[in-house]
Amino acid sequence: VLADCYQVEDQIVHKVDVGALGFVRIKAGNVYVTTNSYSVSGGTTAASIQRGVDAATAGDIVNIAAGTFTNKITVSKALDIRGANYNVNPNTGTRTSETILNNSVDNNLEINHSSGTVSLNGVKFTTNTGAVHNSVSSYPSASIVLTNNIWADADPISMSTASQITVTNNRFDFVDNNDGLFLTDDPSLDIHDN
């Protein structure tokens, strides 16, 4: 059960807590990140989804518990990133506590890989700071799937040079003049039910 895996994650100190440490795999093909994924004695003072991404191998699922995370995430390999509301459509479903990505300094999620798929499912972006950056940005990428996410007055999605971009079952709640989605370089698109 996912809750049990998060509980076990909080009992160990490893690469997800301190990047220089080794990685303890709780379940094959999975990495777990909680708001307690840090170690003051190890030199970290806040949870970091990036350390979870770095610990993962291509094709892994990175599970992120509910809570607020404020660091930038750079993905350079195929990963399935799942928030607390994985597979819960924000337009039709009942969501529980959110995995909130709120980086007010830089892009929240930067995707830069050349093969496979990066998917993000079940998170909430809340990053509108008036600064010029994006909630999701991509560079040479193979395939990107954004589904079941919420952009709550967040900065826009800016993607280019991906071979396939899928944006489905998301909710965009902008209260100012932000563009919701900015695409360039004519990728293959599948955008619906947002």
Side-chain angles (χ1 to χ4, degrees):
V1 175
L2 190 57
D4 293 337
C5 293
Y6 288 135
Q7 187 174 25
V8 171
E9 171 61 39
D10 284 343
Q11 300 303 311
I12 28 181
V13 177
H14 63 136
K15 189 173 187 79
V16 174
D17 304 289
V18 179
L21 296 178
F23 177 56
V24 177
R25 192 165 296 269
I26 298 168
K27 181 179 176 186
N30 285 264
V31 176
Y32 300 90
V33 180
T34 75
T35 55
N36 297 316
S37 293
Y38 64 95
S39 171
V40 173
S41 64
T44 57
T45 57
S48 169
I49 297 169
Q50 184 64 55
R51 288 192 301 265
V53 166
D54 292 345
T57 57
D60 275 357
I61 298 168
V62 178
N63 300 281
I64 311 166
T68 300
F69 298 85
T70 59
N71 62 295
K72 176 181 179 177
I73 309 160
T74 300
V75 179
S76 58
K77 55 193 156 194
L79 291 175
D80 181 0
I81 303 170
R82 299 178 179 182
N85 284 293
Y86 171 73
N87 276 351
V88 180
N89 184 326
N91 303 306
T92 60
T94 302
R95 291 170 75 97
T96 60
S97 296
E98 296 283 351
T99 299
I100 299 171
L101 304 183
N102 186 349
N103 178 352
S104 61
V105 178
D106 200 351
N107 296 336
N108 253 319
L109 175 63
E110 184 173 285
I111 301 168
N112 185 7
H113 74 105
S114 59
S115 64
T117 299
V118 172
S119 65
L120 181 68
N121 185 324
V123 305
K124 181 177 183 179
F125 291 93
T126 59
T127 59
N128 189 345
T129 62
V132 179
H133 58 272
N134 302 301
S135 56
V136 177
S137 64
S138 73
Y139 304 99
S141 300
S143 180
I144 299 169
V145 177
L146 303 173
T147 188
N148 298 314
N149 302 299
I150 297 173
W151 276 261
D153 196 27
D155 295 309
I157 301 168
S158 174
M159 292 188 276
S160 63
T161 65
S163 62
Q164 172 69 41
I165 296 173
T166 303
V167 182
T168 60
N169 299 330
N170 297 287
R171 189 172 78 214
F172 298 92
D173 297 332
F174 297 112
V175 296
D176 60 13
N177 293 323
N178 280 334
D179 295 326
L181 185 59
F182 179 76
L183 305 170
T184 61
D185 295 336
D186 299 320
S188 174
L189 301 175
D190 179 11
I191 302 174
H192 61 89
D193 296 321
N194 294 290

